[in-house]
Amino acid sequence: MGQIWVTSDWHLNHNKEFIYKARGFETVSDMNKAIMQNHNQSVSMDDHIYVLGDCCLGQDLDHARALMCQMKGHLHIIRGNHDTDTRIEMYRGLWNVEEVVEAKYLTYKKYHFFLSHYPALCSNFDTNRPLKQRTLNLCGHSHTTDAFADWDKYGAPIVHCEVDAWGCAPVPLDHIIELMEDKVK
């Protein structure tokens, strides 16, 4: 198995300026290209990518299908608020999609993650415990440019994985762990 990556809120084909212009692009097409290029330059075919919702928008499912089929790696999709039943069925039919789920628990290197589209309170205010003894939330949804905008909100370690916070690219789970560990030192 290859490396594990996390990303969220591609919003491929979302032709609204408040999405693509906020990300620094002149057109939705430029945004789509950058997200795909950044993804494929980082990810290998053996890697696993957890996409925490909102892969695409718009009515042109054929175009969204064509874009997503070009993404390298094994995609594990967590349903987002824009992932309609029709889009979910399209995702399930893609060659590179391993699963589509509402949310997911993932244990990796003895860290326990709750993967969701929305930020989630996954803690018992156990801030004095090591990260490996806590449930860590990786999420998307809010399009924040600060991956740690909700860090330790209500005592819960939350990291935002939207492309908005990571230069329109996926982020290696190992890197997220390093950053989280640095925050608790």
Side-chain angles (χ1 to χ4, degrees), residues 32-166:
N32 289 347
K33 281 184 207 166
I35 289 170
M36 291 181 51
Q37 285 175 347
N38 291 343
H39 178 96
N40 287 334
Q41 286 173 356
S42 301
V43 171
S44 77
M45 293 303 284
D46 291 334
D47 291 346
H48 287 261
I49 305 87
Y50 290 88
V51 186
L52 307 181
D54 291 356
C55 298
C56 64
L57 273 84
Q59 300 301 313
D60 191 349
L61 285 182
D62 289 334
H63 187 245
R65 181 181 297 110
L67 292 172
M68 289 181 66
C69 277
Q70 295 176 53
M71 300 288 211
K72 288 182 182 177
H74 303 272
L75 304 179
H76 302 262
I77 299 175
I78 308 299
R79 186 179 195 146
N81 60 299
H82 293 291
D83 295 321
T84 62
D85 290 342
T86 302
R87 289 187 185 111
I88 293 294
E89 287 308 309
M90 184 268 288
Y91 302 156
R92 285 189 173 126
L94 300 179
W95 72 270
N96 52 352
V97 172
E98 294 283 320
E99 64 182 336
V100 181
V101 296
E102 298 298 318
K104 183 175 185 83
Y105 283 98
L106 175 70
T107 299
Y108 175 73
K109 295 185 176 179
K110 298 185 180 179
Y111 290 89
H112 308 282
F113 296 96
F114 179 69
L115 309 178
S116 59
H117 180 64
Y118 303 102
L121 180 59
C122 312
S123 177
N124 290 324
F125 296 95
D126 48 4
T127 57
N128 59 333
R129 300 179 85 185
L131 288 178
K132 286 184 177 181
Q133 294 178 9
R134 299 167 70 187
T135 301
L136 315 169
N137 178 227
L138 303 182
C139 66
H141 183 63
S142 66
H143 296 268
T144 181
T145 57
D146 177 3
F148 295 96
D150 291 328
W151 179 258
D152 259 349
K153 193 176 213 175
Y154 312 112
I158 298 170
V159 177
H160 286 268
C161 299
E162 298 97 311
V163 293
D164 310 76
W166 300 97

Side-chain angles (χ1 to χ4, degrees), residues 15-17 19-32:
N15 196 11
K16 297 291 183 189
E17 288 187 3
I19 293 292
Y20 65 83
K21 287 225 175 191
R23 293 175 175 175
F25 300 102
E26 288 300 312
T27 68
V28 69
S29 178
D30 290 343
M31 178 189 73
N32 289 347

